[in-house]
Amino acid sequence: MDRFRFAKASRDRTFAAFKKATVTLAMTAAVWLPGYANAKDPATTLVIASPSTPQGLDNEYDVSLGTVDVLGALYDYLVEYETIPDPEVPGVMREDTSVHADRIGGLALRGKLAERWGISPDGTKVTFVLRKGVVSNWGNPLTAEDVKWSWDRKFALAAQGSFYTSVIGLASPDAVTVEGPDTVSFALDGPTPLALKIHTILGNPIYDSKKLKEVGGTEDPWGTAFLKNDSAGFGPYRVKQIVRGQQAVFEARPDYWGKQPFMKTVVMREIPNSASRLSLLQGGAVDIAQFLQPREYLSLKNAANATYDAIDASYMLWMVLNANIPPFNKPEVRQAINYAIPRDQILETAFYGLASKQTAPLPKIYPMADTGFFDYDLDLDKAKALLKEAGLEDGFSTTIAFDAGNPVQEPIAMIVQSSLRKIGIEVTLEKLPAGVFYENVTKRQKPIIFYQDAPWAPDPGYATRLFFHKDSFPNYSNYANAEVSKLIDSGMQTMDDEQRRAIYRQVQKTIMEEAPWGFVAYPKYVLARKKNITGFTYYTSNNLRFQDFARK
């Protein structure tokens, strides 16, 4: 994401300067956007101004912005959620992730590569019957072997897919069985509500195993080198061109099994500067401008040809409070910091209203999210009392690290710095270059560091296990509460929704009380687009699917 860099007055001056410097870009865009200028039919060509082209096309190793935005177009999945109109934003659809007791697994799913599916009575076996007549972008028919190979690959590479195999209790490659040319089953260690949900997640595409075996051979049996620059899947698009740092071009497949996309060509143009992306959209040279700064979105309110949609999303922005570094090992200190976060000011001056207050340890849009345990409205007196209770009446000094590449983190850090000073905590701000920021998060050596993420599966167990289980790698706060971890595990093996609700209510209550995070905001997912672009659908993985869009 492009990043906000200054407090409000400075931001305004910077925005004006950028806009003046880039105003001519829109007029010349057709010259230097060759994928767009040379399109056979501009009406069916979607042009996206993006911060980055895909850095790779292998989800096991790359979940960067550009990559995430093409996975759902290049690949298909066994099942997907049905969609419903967004209740707040006219014309926008979103996944129906609510509980449906009368549906298999309690989910409103529709088939993609699978046409039928079922769960055994004891909940330990999931079976899929595949759709016939499906071919990959290389012309190879879909088989059950492709599904098994795709999951065998996760075990073999031991990368991103390791979390997916472990979270559903898939013990080994032998647990995935080909039961016929079109039938495949998954044998789980125990019943889990994620048995079907896991197959909707963006990180679990089905690969064309025949193609990847062919190009990889014995030296690269899982096709990792090939997937850096090309795809082998069953989705509606194929790769036409990738020139990193410049553009990526994708073509709709005429042999795709499903509905043909309206957009026959998609050009993703790398435009690192958000003001430039905004100017290109305003000038009509692009159809979508991704990841603008909050104030830039608002500038489109009265635009003649462009607009934006702001959707309640799965994004969360928080401050990691490292429980392994004193004094953050004391809950009272973590609670004090939460009482000193001026969230209303942050929402107004950093997000310009394009976010809401974070009031739970998982996305508020997810089933069973409980916002009733939030008790951290700004209260400096209470914060001081908690520091005194922790033996730190005279305060202390610390650092707050933030991502220089995220436009809102610096102004938020400055606001928090000022507020913490009022309760006796002196903060030095540490701006980390975007290229090393995530490395610093994972090293867990900073006392406080900002982080923004989203659990892709709309499930309370998945979300809390990811960030708060004592044995989870993304538990960057080093939060270790054995009872919470035990409850999370219990809820992951409970099929009864009311029992799960009670379990995760207690999990959320304890997490909010012990405050391993400084709870900040729920940023909205915002899409800036031409007014004649329709079909936007919001996914909890916060990515685009090119096949959704049309031009009116």
Side-chain angles (χ1 to χ4, degrees):
M1 301 178 188
D2 246 17
R3 316 305 188 193
F4 249 167
R5 302 187 51 128
F6 307 104
K8 185 177 186 302
S10 177
R11 274 202 321 268
D12 292 348
R13 292 192 299 271
T14 303
F15 170 75
F18 278 162
K19 186 172 181 180
K20 181 178 180 181
T22 59
V23 70
T24 59
L25 285 174
M27 294 184 290
T28 61
V31 176
W32 55 267
L33 292 178
Y36 180 49
N38 299 328
K40 294 180 181 178
D41 183 2
T44 60
T45 298
L46 183 72
V47 185
I48 303 170
S50 178
S52 174
T53 50
Q55 298 306 297
L57 296 174
D58 190 343
N59 179 74
E60 288 296 313
Y61 298 108
D62 193 334
V63 290
S64 60
L65 288 177
T67 301
V68 166
D69 273 322
V70 303
L71 286 176
L74 297 175
Y75 293 98
D76 263 350
Y77 301 78
L78 291 175
V79 291
E80 67 178 1
Y81 287 101
E82 294 178 357
T83 56
I84 56 176
D86 186 275
E88 297 180 1
V89 185
V92 173
M93 303 294 286
R94 65 184 304 127
E95 294 171 304
D96 181 0
T97 61
S98 57
V99 175
H100 292 261
D102 60 330
R103 305 285 290 270
I104 298 174
L107 304 174
L109 298 180
R110 60 191 176 199
K112 291 290 285 182
L113 296 181
E115 62 178 7
R116 300 194 307 276
W117 54 94
I119 303 176
S120 63
D122 65 357
T124 62
K125 182 179 179 180
V126 184
T127 303
F128 295 95
V129 178
L130 302 182
R131 191 180 299 276
K132 293 179 175 61
V134 176
V135 297
S136 76
N137 59 309
W138 298 101
N140 296 318
L142 170 70
T143 68
E145 183 60 38
D146 291 318
V147 179
K148 175 171 172 53
W149 188 91
S150 297
W151 281 82
D152 287 354
R153 187 174 191 266
K154 298 180 190 299
F155 285 101
L157 298 181
Q160 297 280 351
S162 295
F163 180 80
Y164 299 129
T165 59
S166 64
V167 81
I168 61 170
L170 205 62
S172 73
D174 293 338
V176 185
T177 304
V178 173
E179 299 190 354
D182 303 315
T183 305
V184 62
S185 66
F186 293 75
L188 311 178
D189 286 343
T192 172
L194 293 176
L196 287 173
K197 290 179 184 179
I198 203 75
H199 297 285
T200 69
I201 294 176
L202 190 69
N204 294 321
I206 303 304
Y207 293 101
D208 174 355
S209 62
K210 182 178 180 179
K211 177 64 177 180
L212 291 176
K213 289 177 184 178
E214 174 189 308
V215 297
T218 57
E219 293 185 1
D220 186 17
W222 302 105
T224 55
F226 180 83
L227 291 177
K228 290 179 182 177
N229 302 297
D230 212 328
S231 64
F234 301 90
Y237 287 85
R238 61 163 60 94
V239 178
K240 180 178 181 182
Q241 176 196 63
I242 294 182
V243 182
R244 289 188 175 86
Q246 297 183 35
Q247 71 177 17
V249 182
F250 306 91
E251 289 182 326
R253 292 175 46 204
D255 58 346
Y256 179 58
W257 66 268
K259 180 182 177 182
Q260 282 292 308
F262 179 93
M263 297 298 181
K264 304 305 181 186
T265 304
V266 178
V267 180
M268 180 181 284
R269 182 71 186 182
E270 182 167 322
I271 311 293
N273 182 273
S274 69
S276 299
R277 297 196 295 275
L278 174 65
S279 290
L280 290 168
L281 178 64
Q282 290 173 322
V286 302
D287 298 300
I288 291 173
Q290 288 187 292
F291 302 112
L292 304 180
Q293 299 180 16
R295 189 181 185 280
E296 292 170 331
Y297 288 117
L298 299 188
S299 73
L300 296 173
K301 278 192 171 181
N302 299 315
N305 298 315
T307 187
Y308 69 92
D309 302 303
I311 313 298
D312 283 340
S314 60
Y315 282 136
M316 299 182 288
L317 175 65
W318 68 91
M319 294 159 54
V320 173
L321 305 179
N322 196 330
N324 279 357
I325 299 178
F328 303 103
N329 57 328
K330 297 182 178 182
E332 297 86 356
V333 174
R334 304 194 298 261
Q335 293 164 359
I337 287 175
N338 270 284
Y339 279 114
I341 298 174
R343 295 174 184 83
D344 291 338
Q345 181 184 356
I346 288 169
L347 296 179
E348 180 181 353
T349 62
F351 286 105
Y352 287 87
L354 295 176
S356 59
K357 191 181 302 184
Q358 186 184 6
T359 52
L362 62 154
K364 67 177 182 179
I365 66 170
Y366 280 8
M368 303 183 194
D370 196 326
T371 61
F373 301 116
F374 179 82
D375 186 32
Y376 291 117
D377 287 326
L378 185 64
D379 190 332
L380 299 183
D381 290 335
K382 186 172 286 188
K384 291 177 183 177
L386 284 163
L387 289 181
K388 182 177 181 179
E389 185 178 337
L392 294 163
E393 184 175 4
D394 295 330
F396 61 93
S397 298
T398 190
T399 62
I400 294 179
F402 62 90
D403 183 0
N406 186 309
V408 299
Q409 288 189 15
E410 184 165 9
I412 294 174
M414 294 170 65
I415 291 170
V416 172
Q417 178 191 43
S418 176
S419 189
L420 290 181
R421 184 176 296 121
K422 297 174 183 177
I423 63 171
I425 301 177
E426 289 296 327
V427 172
T428 299
L429 299 183
E430 185 178 3
K431 181 190 295 187
L432 299 175
V436 300
F437 173 78
Y438 183 72
E439 178 185 353
N440 277 269
V441 172
T442 57
K443 282 183 176 179
R444 310 178 195 210
Q445 295 175 354
K446 303 295 183 184
I448 305 178
I449 188 168
F450 277 91
Y451 195 55
Q452 179 170 315
D453 205 347
W456 281 355
D459 182 87
Y462 184 99
T464 54
R465 189 184 191 281
L466 192 67
F467 296 125
F468 302 106
H469 194 287
K470 62 182 180 63
D471 298 327
S472 175
F473 178 75
N475 175 11
Y476 301 127
S477 294
N478 295 304
Y479 175 64
N481 182 313
E483 181 60 27
V484 166
S485 296
K486 183 179 178 180
L487 284 169
I488 291 172
D489 289 339
S490 173
M492 296 287 281
Q493 300 165 4
T494 302
M495 302 301 291
D496 183 272
D497 284 326
E498 288 310 308
Q499 291 181 21
R500 293 195 86 215
R501 189 180 304 278
I503 289 170
Y504 288 112
R505 178 176 171 81
Q506 183 59 49
V507 167
Q508 293 173 79
K509 180 177 185 293
T510 304
I511 290 171
M512 294 304 292
E513 289 173 351
E514 297 191 345
W517 292 355
F519 302 98
V520 181
Y522 291 124
K524 291 180 179 290
Y525 186 97
V526 189
L527 184 75
R529 58 175 174 83
K530 282 184 179 177
K531 287 183 176 179
N532 68 347
I533 295 297
T534 63
F536 173 40
T537 299
Y538 172 73
Y539 300 92
T540 56
S541 48
N542 298 297
N543 71 304
L544 301 180
R545 311 279 170 101
F546 306 151
Q547 58 268 33
D548 294 334
F549 292 101
R551 193 185 306 275
K552 64 181 179 181

